[in-house]
Amino acid sequence: MCAYLTRVPIIVVLLSLCAFAHSDTANYYDLIAKPEATEQVAKAKPGCEYKDINIKKYGLQPFQNPEVISSKNGELVTTLSVEYSNHNIGGCDTHLRTYNGKMVGPTLRLKPGDTLRVKLQNNMPPCDPKYPDRCGHGKDNVMNTPGNFNVTNLHTHGFHVSPAGNSDNVLLQIKPGVEFDYEIKVPPNHPSGTFWYHAHVHGSTALQVSSGMAGALIVEGGLDDAPRIKDLEEKVFVFQQVAYDCSGVIESYESECADGIGAFGPGEWEKMKRQILINGEIAPTITMRPGEIQRWRFIHAGVRETIMARVEDTRGYAQEKLHEIAVDGLATGRLDSWAKVELQPGYRSDVLFRAPKKAGEYWLMDTETAASLSLHGIIEPAKKLARIVVTGNPATMDLPKPEELAQLKAMKDFTAKEIAKLPETKEPMMFYLGDRNDIPTTPCGEFKKGKGSDIIFSVNGKPFGEAPPRELTLNTAEKWTLCTRGLASGHPFHIHVNPFQLARLGPDGKLQNVWRDTLLVRDSRNEEIYTRYEDYIGEFVLHCHILDHEDQGMMELVKINLEGSSNHH
């Protein structure tokens, strides 16, 4: 029986698998290959046309960190109001879903052991039969069809906290006119680092995050107290890909604008010619002294675009490197010096940047991404992200020493002997986007492309709701194989609650261990990861962090049980 979670005077619907009984999957092929525009084409609002944005006219303002709300006496108490607000972006008057009327959510700063108390108020327009997408999956209420656009909840991306009750529970649906009190207890041993929060109701996640409903979530300590880091000026970069249409809104996956360009789909972002925002601003200006070192916290809060971050001079030549000290919020115990840092949707990277010794103008760029490396297998042209003005008296500053960082490593690695003994999880995790009739016989097996007449977004060939949970056991560890098959070149894998270890090539070309919660899984190779299930039982999800893929079914329910127990349903 479908349950309702009641909190007087608050009523919130708690999703369970029984809600997916009518899980007929629609044909989503038109979301991959958009049809030509019909006669019902909306006339573009002045300033909202799909054309290049004049950065000099609409950008280059001084860099501003988001508003900061910090915990006090072991608690962070705040309110997030989900509401429409109006903002001018690059000359377009937009009308978008936001937190507290701002283009970026406030930065929430806590300490290990703190409790995060958020009153989430859904002040969106109420449910109305005239607008079936507002509080359901379209007019036919078919699961894995984009919808629930005015329904919301809250996810603490990367946090190792309980997924149950009123904690980081993404199975909650908070409807318009309802408010809900979240109580998320951060364990005393939680790693310090850069995390983030965003809306996560199935069907509306991409639309709400693409509107700007996201913010930074920082757990203090660790690297923050390191001798050569603690006094550095710190900047938080919430990279946003706000996909407003020719009318300045994001109200549907379908497009009524010229040429049928919509918010989502391969290549659609490029056609819209929108600018990647940083904390709601276009190409803000960072001012530094020659030789000054700053700490930059990068958060890719976008939905579809790969960001390859690099600092260049005005001629396009690479300059000082980005010295990475944490990945997905977790301190690596190293200083990895990269010419460019790869950011896929959901990724985070903490870097130290030393300004060039020569005064002048420089740029933080999203460099051109080759089709073979991009998220969708298409060339992504270079974009300007932020201007860096180097001026004033030179600064003499040192980067941290290796031994200072080594002792601050966030996670304990699996040893080679431990990895050799790890059991495989019950089946590989395969992201599959393709015809239902072309699913590989075995997960991660051979894919043969058919006609493409019944497209599904799935994990292991099962759209969300068509398979029982992947069941795991508390206080165990496993090895997973991740793969991508089908029509897409790759999908970013994200799992809630517990991070995972993998090997990557470091800037020196040698293999190194790194801990993540999000990883791009390309179709050209399988990935092997190792993970522990610690501290928390309950249900949560893994999914593709191309969020419109998740909304359409590329998500799987995960359940961690106590040893010796299992609840099948």
Side-chain angles (χ1 to χ4, degrees), residues 489-549:
S489 60
H491 301 276
F493 167 82
H494 173 54
I495 189 166
H496 297 195
V497 182
N498 294 295
F500 51 85
Q501 176 190 322
L502 71 148
R504 72 171 185 182
L505 287 178
D508 59 0
K510 297 179 180 179
L511 287 175
Q512 58 179 213
N513 291 332
V514 66
W515 285 82
R516 310 202 67 117
D517 56 59
T518 310
L519 175 67
L520 175 60
V521 182
R522 302 183 187 276
D523 65 351
S524 57
R525 57 172 290 176
N526 294 354
E527 296 286 351
E528 191 172 271
I529 64 171
Y530 322 106
T531 185
R532 306 181 181 101
Y533 316 127
E534 298 180 320
D535 300 320
Y536 302 108
I537 61 171
E539 292 184 335
F540 52 95
V541 293
L542 63 83
H543 60 88
C544 172
H545 224 280
I546 301 173
L547 294 177
D548 51 291
H549 288 187

Coordinates of all heavy atoms in Angstrom, one line a residue, residues 489-549:
S489 N 27.6 8.5 -26.1 CA 29.0 8.2 -25.9 C 29.5 8.1 -24.5 O 30.6 7.6 -24.2 CB 29.8 9.3 -26.6 OG 29.5 10.6 -26.0
G490 N 28.7 8.5 -23.6 CA 29.0 8.4 -22.2 C 28.0 9.0 -21.2 O 27.1 9.8 -21.7
H491 N 28.0 8.5 -20.0 CA 27.0 9.0 -19.0 C 27.8 9.2 -17.7 O 28.6 8.3 -17.3 CB 25.9 8.0 -18.7 CG 25.1 7.7 -20.0 ND1 24.1 8.5 -20.4 CD2 25.2 6.7 -20.9 CE1 23.5 7.9 -21.5 NE2 24.2 6.9 -21.8
P492 N 27.6 10.3 -16.9 CA 28.2 10.5 -15.6 C 27.4 9.6 -14.6 O 26.3 9.9 -14.3 CB 28.1 12.0 -15.3 CG 27.7 12.6 -16.6 CD 26.9 11.6 -17.4
F493 N 28.1 8.7 -14.0 CA 27.5 7.8 -12.9 C 27.6 8.6 -11.6 O 28.7 9.1 -11.2 CB 28.3 6.5 -12.9 CG 28.1 5.7 -11.6 CD1 27.0 4.8 -11.6 CD2 28.9 5.7 -10.6 CE1 26.7 4.0 -10.5 CE2 28.7 4.9 -9.4 CZ 27.6 4.1 -9.4
H494 N 26.5 8.6 -10.9 CA 26.5 9.2 -9.5 C 25.7 8.3 -8.6 O 24.6 7.8 -9.0 CB 25.8 10.6 -9.5 CG 25.6 11.2 -8.1 ND1 26.7 11.3 -7.2 CD2 24.5 11.6 -7.5 CE1 26.2 11.8 -6.1 NE2 24.9 12.0 -6.2
I495 N 26.3 8.0 -7.4 CA 25.6 7.2 -6.4 C 25.5 8.0 -5.1 O 26.5 8.7 -4.8 CB 26.3 5.9 -6.2 CG1 25.4 5.0 -5.4 CG2 27.7 6.0 -5.7 CD1 25.8 3.5 -5.4
H496 N 24.4 7.9 -4.5 CA 24.2 8.7 -3.2 C 24.9 7.9 -2.0 O 25.1 6.7 -2.1 CB 22.8 8.9 -2.9 CG 22.1 9.7 -4.0 ND1 20.8 10.3 -3.8 CD2 22.4 10.1 -5.2 CE1 20.5 11.0 -4.8 NE2 21.4 10.9 -5.7
V497 N 25.1 8.6 -1.0 CA 25.5 8.1 0.4 C 26.9 7.7 0.5 O 27.7 8.2 1.3 CB 24.6 6.9 0.8 CG1 25.0 6.4 2.2 CG2 23.1 7.3 0.8
N498 N 27.4 6.7 -0.3 CA 28.8 6.2 -0.2 C 29.6 6.5 -1.4 O 29.3 6.1 -2.5 CB 28.7 4.7 0.1 CG 28.1 4.3 1.4 OD1 28.5 4.6 2.5 ND2 26.9 3.6 1.3
P499 N 30.8 7.1 -1.2 CA 31.7 7.4 -2.3 C 32.4 6.1 -2.7 O 32.3 5.0 -2.1 CB 32.7 8.4 -1.8 CG 32.8 8.1 -0.3 CD 31.4 7.6 0.1
F500 N 33.2 6.2 -3.8 CA 33.9 5.0 -4.3 C 35.3 5.4 -4.7 O 35.6 6.5 -5.0 CB 33.2 4.4 -5.5 CG 32.8 5.4 -6.6 CD1 33.7 5.7 -7.6 CD2 31.5 5.9 -6.6 CE1 33.3 6.6 -8.6 CE2 31.2 6.9 -7.6 CZ 32.1 7.2 -8.6
Q501 N 36.2 4.4 -4.7 CA 37.6 4.5 -5.1 C 37.8 4.0 -6.5 O 37.2 3.0 -6.9 CB 38.5 3.8 -4.2 CG 40.0 3.8 -4.5 CD 40.8 2.9 -3.7 OE1 40.6 2.7 -2.5 NE2 41.8 2.2 -4.3
L502 N 38.6 4.7 -7.3 CA 39.0 4.2 -8.6 C 40.5 4.6 -8.9 O 41.0 5.5 -8.2 CB 38.1 4.7 -9.7 CG 38.2 6.1 -10.1 CD1 37.9 6.3 -11.6 CD2 37.2 7.0 -9.2
A503 N 41.0 4.1 -10.0 CA 42.4 4.5 -10.4 C 42.2 5.4 -11.6 O 41.4 5.2 -12.5 CB 43.2 3.3 -10.8
R504 N 43.0 6.5 -11.6 CA 43.0 7.4 -12.8 C 44.5 7.7 -13.1 O 45.4 7.5 -12.3 CB 42.2 8.7 -12.5 CG 42.9 9.6 -11.5 CD 42.3 11.0 -11.4 NE 43.0 11.9 -10.6 CZ 42.6 13.1 -10.3 NH1 41.5 13.6 -10.8 NH2 43.3 13.9 -9.5
L505 N 44.7 8.3 -14.3 CA 46.0 8.7 -14.7 C 46.2 10.1 -14.1 O 45.4 11.0 -14.3 CB 46.2 8.8 -16.2 CG 46.3 7.4 -16.9 CD1 46.4 7.6 -18.4 CD2 47.5 6.7 -16.4
G506 N 47.3 10.3 -13.3 CA 47.6 11.6 -12.8 C 48.3 12.5 -13.8 O 48.5 12.1 -15.0
P507 N 48.6 13.7 -13.5 CA 49.2 14.7 -14.4 C 50.6 14.2 -14.9 O 51.1 14.6 -15.9 CB 49.3 16.0 -13.7 CG 49.1 15.6 -12.2 CD 48.3 14.4 -12.2
D508 N 51.2 13.3 -14.1 CA 52.5 12.7 -14.5 C 52.3 11.5 -15.4 O 53.3 10.9 -15.7 CB 53.3 12.4 -13.2 CG 52.6 11.4 -12.3 OD1 51.5 11.0 -12.6 OD2 53.2 11.1 -11.3
G509 N 51.1 11.1 -15.7 CA 50.9 10.0 -16.5 C 50.9 8.6 -15.8 O 50.7 7.6 -16.4
K510 N 51.0 8.7 -14.5 CA 51.0 7.5 -13.7 C 49.7 7.3 -13.0 O 49.0 8.2 -12.7 CB 52.1 7.5 -12.6 CG 53.5 7.6 -13.2 CD 54.6 7.7 -12.1 CE 56.0 7.8 -12.7 NZ 57.0 7.9 -11.6
L511 N 49.3 6.0 -12.7 CA 48.1 5.7 -12.0 C 48.1 6.2 -10.6 O 49.1 6.1 -9.9 CB 47.8 4.2 -12.1 CG 47.3 3.6 -13.4 CD1 47.2 2.1 -13.3 CD2 46.0 4.2 -13.9
Q512 N 47.0 6.7 -10.2 CA 46.8 7.2 -8.8 C 45.4 6.9 -8.3 O 44.5 6.8 -9.2 CB 47.1 8.7 -8.7 CG 46.2 9.5 -9.5 CD 46.4 11.0 -9.4 OE1 45.5 11.8 -9.5 NE2 47.7 11.4 -9.2
N513 N 45.2 6.6 -7.0 CA 43.9 6.4 -6.5 C 43.2 7.7 -6.2 O 43.8 8.7 -5.8 CB 44.0 5.6 -5.2 CG 44.4 4.2 -5.4 OD1 44.2 3.6 -6.5 ND2 45.1 3.6 -4.4
V514 N 41.9 7.7 -6.5 CA 41.1 8.9 -6.2 C 39.7 8.4 -5.7 O 39.3 7.3 -6.2 CB 41.0 9.8 -7.4 CG1 40.2 9.1 -8.5 CG2 40.4 11.1 -7.1
W515 N 39.1 9.2 -4.8 CA 37.8 8.9 -4.4 C 36.8 9.9 -5.0 O 37.1 11.1 -5.0 CB 37.7 8.9 -2.8 CG 38.3 7.7 -2.2 CD1 39.6 7.5 -1.9 CD2 37.6 6.6 -1.7 NE1 39.8 6.3 -1.3 CE2 38.6 5.7 -1.1 CE3 36.3 6.2 -1.6 CZ2 38.3 4.5 -0.6 CZ3 36.0 5.0 -1.1 CH2 37.0 4.1 -0.5
R516 N 35.6 9.4 -5.4 CA 34.7 10.2 -6.1 C 33.3 9.8 -5.7 O 33.1 8.7 -5.1 CB 34.7 10.1 -7.6 CG 36.1 10.2 -8.3 CD 35.9 10.6 -9.7 NE 35.3 11.9 -9.8 CZ 35.9 13.0 -10.4 NH1 37.1 12.8 -10.9 NH2 35.3 14.2 -10.4
D517 N 32.3 10.6 -6.1 CA 30.9 10.2 -6.0 C 30.2 10.3 -7.4 O 29.1 9.9 -7.6 CB 30.1 11.0 -5.0 CG 30.1 12.5 -5.2 OD1 29.7 12.9 -6.3 OD2 30.6 13.2 -4.3
T518 N 30.9 10.9 -8.4 CA 30.4 11.0 -9.7 C 31.6 10.7 -10.7 O 32.7 11.2 -10.5 CB 29.9 12.5 -10.0 OG1 29.0 12.8 -8.9 CG2 29.2 12.6 -11.3
L519 N 31.3 10.0 -11.8 CA 32.3 9.6 -12.7 C 31.7 9.4 -14.1 O 30.8 8.7 -14.3 CB 32.9 8.2 -12.3 CG 34.0 7.6 -13.2 CD1 35.2 8.5 -13.3 CD2 34.3 6.2 -12.8
L520 N 32.3 10.0 -15.1 CA 31.9 9.9 -16.5 C 32.3 8.5 -16.9 O 33.5 8.1 -16.9 CB 32.5 10.9 -17.4 CG 32.3 10.7 -18.9 CD1 30.8 10.8 -19.1 CD2 33.0 11.8 -19.7
V521 N 31.3 7.7 -17.4 CA 31.6 6.3 -17.9 C 31.4 6.4 -19.4 O 30.3 6.5 -19.9 CB 30.6 5.3 -17.2 CG1 30.9 3.9 -17.7 CG2 30.7 5.4 -15.7
R522 N 32.5 6.3 -20.1 CA 32.5 6.4 -21.6 C 32.2 5.0 -22.2 O 32.4 4.0 -21.6 CB 33.8 6.9 -22.1 CG 34.2 8.3 -21.5 CD 35.5 8.7 -22.2 NE 36.0 10.0 -21.5 CZ 35.6 11.2 -21.9 NH1 34.7 11.3 -22.8 NH2 36.1 12.3 -21.3
D523 N 31.6 5.1 -23.4 CA 31.3 3.8 -24.0 C 32.5 3.0 -24.6 O 32.4 1.9 -25.0 CB 30.3 4.0 -25.2 CG 30.9 4.9 -26.3 OD1 32.0 5.4 -26.2 OD2 30.2 5.0 -27.4
S524 N 33.7 3.7 -24.5 CA 34.9 3.1 -25.1 C 35.6 2.2 -24.0 O 36.5 1.5 -24.4 CB 35.8 4.2 -25.5 OG 36.1 5.1 -24.5
R525 N 35.2 2.3 -22.8 CA 35.9 1.5 -21.8 C 35.0 1.2 -20.6 O 34.1 2.0 -20.3 CB 37.2 2.2 -21.3 CG 37.0 3.6 -20.7 CD 38.2 4.1 -20.1 NE 38.6 3.4 -18.8 CZ 39.7 3.7 -18.1 NH1 40.5 4.6 -18.6 NH2 39.9 3.0 -17.0
N526 N 35.2 0.1 -19.9 CA 34.5 -0.2 -18.7 C 35.3 0.4 -17.5 O 36.6 0.4 -17.6 CB 34.3 -1.7 -18.5 CG 33.4 -2.3 -19.5 OD1 32.8 -1.6 -20.3 ND2 33.2 -3.6 -19.5
E527 N 34.6 0.8 -16.5 CA 35.3 1.3 -15.3 C 35.2 0.3 -14.1 O 34.1 -0.3 -13.9 CB 34.7 2.7 -14.9 CG 34.9 3.8 -15.9 CD 36.3 4.3 -15.9 OE1 37.1 4.0 -15.1 OE2 36.6 5.1 -16.8
E528 N 36.2 0.2 -13.3 CA 36.1 -0.6 -12.1 C 36.3 0.2 -10.9 O 37.2 1.0 -10.8 CB 37.3 -1.7 -12.2 CG 37.2 -2.8 -11.1 CD 38.2 -3.9 -11.3 OE1 37.9 -4.8 -12.0 OE2 39.3 -3.7 -10.7
I529 N 35.3 0.1 -10.0 CA 35.4 1.0 -8.8 C 35.2 0.1 -7.6 O 34.8 -1.1 -7.7 CB 34.2 2.0 -8.8 CG1 32.9 1.4 -8.8 CG2 34.4 3.0 -10.0 CD1 31.7 2.4 -8.5
Y530 N 35.6 0.6 -6.4 CA 35.5 -0.2 -5.1 C 34.9 0.7 -4.1 O 35.2 1.9 -4.0 CB 37.0 -0.5 -4.7 CG 37.9 -0.9 -5.8 CD1 38.9 0.0 -6.3 CD2 37.7 -2.1 -6.5 CE1 39.7 -0.4 -7.4 CE2 38.5 -2.4 -7.6 CZ 39.5 -1.6 -8.0 OH 40.2 -1.9 -9.1
T531 N 34.0 0.1 -3.3 CA 33.2 0.9 -2.4 C 32.8 0.1 -1.1 O 32.7 -1.1 -1.2 CB 31.9 1.5 -3.1 OG1 31.2 2.4 -2.2 CG2 31.0 0.4 -3.5
R532 N 32.7 0.9 0.0 CA 32.2 0.3 1.2 C 30.8 0.8 1.6 O 30.5 2.0 1.2 CB 33.2 0.7 2.4 CG 34.6 0.4 2.1 CD 35.5 0.8 3.3 NE 36.9 0.6 3.1 CZ 37.8 1.5 2.8 NH1 37.4 2.7 2.6 NH2 39.1 1.2 2.6
Y533 N 30.0 0.0 2.2 CA 28.7 0.4 2.6 C 28.7 0.6 4.1 O 28.7 -0.4 4.9 CB 27.6 -0.6 2.2 CG 27.8 -1.1 0.8 CD1 27.9 -2.5 0.5 CD2 27.9 -0.2 -0.2 CE1 28.1 -2.9 -0.8 CE2 28.1 -0.7 -1.6 CZ 28.2 -2.0 -1.8 OH 28.4 -2.4 -3.1
E534 N 28.8 1.8 4.6 CA 29.1 2.1 6.0 C 28.0 3.0 6.6 O 27.4 3.8 5.9 CB 30.4 2.8 6.2 CG 31.6 1.9 5.7 CD 32.9 2.6 5.9 OE1 33.0 3.8 5.6 OE2 33.9 1.9 6.3
D535 N 27.7 2.7 7.8 CA 26.9 3.6 8.7 C 25.4 3.6 8.5 O 24.6 3.7 9.5 CB 27.4 5.1 8.6 CG 28.9 5.2 9.0 OD1 29.3 4.5 10.0 OD2 29.6 5.9 8.4
Y536 N 24.9 3.6 7.2 CA 23.5 3.9 7.0 C 22.8 2.8 6.2 O 23.4 2.2 5.2 CB 23.4 5.2 6.2 CG 24.0 6.3 7.0 CD1 25.1 6.9 6.6 CD2 23.4 6.8 8.2 CE1 25.7 8.0 7.3 CE2 23.9 7.8 8.9 CZ 25.1 8.4 8.4 OH 25.7 9.4 9.1
I537 N 21.6 2.4 6.6 CA 20.7 1.5 5.8 C 19.6 2.4 5.2 O 19.4 3.5 5.6 CB 20.1 0.4 6.7 CG1 19.3 1.0 7.8 CG2 21.2 -0.5 7.2 CD1 18.5 0.0 8.6
G538 N 18.9 1.8 4.3 CA 17.8 2.5 3.7 C 17.9 2.5 2.1 O 18.8 1.9 1.5
E539 N 16.9 3.2 1.5 CA 16.8 3.3 0.1 C 17.3 4.6 -0.5 O 17.0 5.7 0.1 CB 15.4 3.0 -0.4 CG 14.9 1.6 -0.1 CD 13.5 1.4 -0.6 OE1 12.7 2.4 -0.7 OE2 13.1 0.2 -0.9
F540 N 18.0 4.6 -1.6 CA 18.5 5.8 -2.3 C 18.6 5.4 -3.7 O 18.1 4.4 -4.2 CB 19.7 6.3 -1.6 CG 20.9 5.3 -1.5 CD1 21.9 5.2 -2.4 CD2 20.9 4.5 -0.3 CE1 22.9 4.3 -2.3 CE2 22.0 3.6 -0.2 CZ 22.9 3.5 -1.1
V541 N 19.4 6.2 -4.5 CA 19.4 5.9 -5.9 C 20.9 6.1 -6.5 O 21.7 6.7 -5.9 CB 18.5 6.9 -6.7 CG1 17.0 6.6 -6.4 CG2 18.8 8.3 -6.5
L542 N 21.1 5.4 -7.6 CA 22.2 5.8 -8.5 C 21.6 6.2 -9.8 O 20.5 5.7 -10.1 CB 23.2 4.6 -8.6 CG 22.7 3.3 -9.3 CD1 22.7 3.3 -10.8 CD2 23.5 2.1 -8.8
H543 N 22.3 7.0 -10.5 CA 21.7 7.5 -11.8 C 22.7 8.2 -12.6 O 23.9 8.5 -12.2 CB 20.5 8.5 -11.5 CG 20.9 9.7 -10.7 ND1 21.4 10.9 -11.3 CD2 21.0 9.9 -9.3 CE1 21.7 11.8 -10.3 NE2 21.4 11.2 -9.1
C544 N 22.3 8.5 -13.9 CA 23.1 9.3 -14.8 C 23.0 10.8 -14.3 O 21.8 11.3 -14.1 CB 22.7 9.1 -16.2 SG 23.4 10.3 -17.4
H545 N 24.1 11.5 -14.3 CA 24.0 13.0 -13.9 C 23.8 13.9 -15.1 O 23.9 15.1 -14.9 CB 25.1 13.4 -13.0 CG 24.7 14.2 -11.9 ND1 24.4 15.6 -12.0 CD2 24.4 13.9 -10.6 CE1 24.0 16.1 -10.8 NE2 24.0 15.1 -9.9
I546 N 23.5 13.3 -16.3 CA 22.8 14.1 -17.3 C 21.4 14.1 -16.8 O 20.7 13.1 -17.1 CB 23.0 13.5 -18.7 CG1 24.5 13.5 -19.1 CG2 22.2 14.4 -19.7 CD1 24.7 12.7 -20.4
L547 N 21.0 15.1 -16.1 CA 19.8 15.0 -15.3 C 18.5 14.7 -16.1 O 17.5 14.1 -15.6 CB 19.6 16.2 -14.4 CG 20.7 16.3 -13.4 CD1 20.6 17.6 -12.6 CD2 20.8 15.1 -12.4
D548 N 18.4 15.1 -17.4 CA 17.3 14.8 -18.1 C 17.2 13.3 -18.5 O 16.2 12.7 -18.7 CB 17.1 15.6 -19.4 CG 18.4 15.7 -20.2 OD1 19.4 16.2 -19.8 OD2 18.4 15.1 -21.3
H549 N 18.4 12.7 -18.5 CA 18.4 11.2 -18.7 C 17.9 10.5 -17.4 O 17.1 9.6 -17.5 CB 19.9 10.7 -18.9 CG 20.4 11.0 -20.3 ND1 21.6 10.6 -20.7 CD2 19.9 11.8 -21.3 CE1 21.9 11.0 -21.9 NE2 20.9 11.8 -22.3

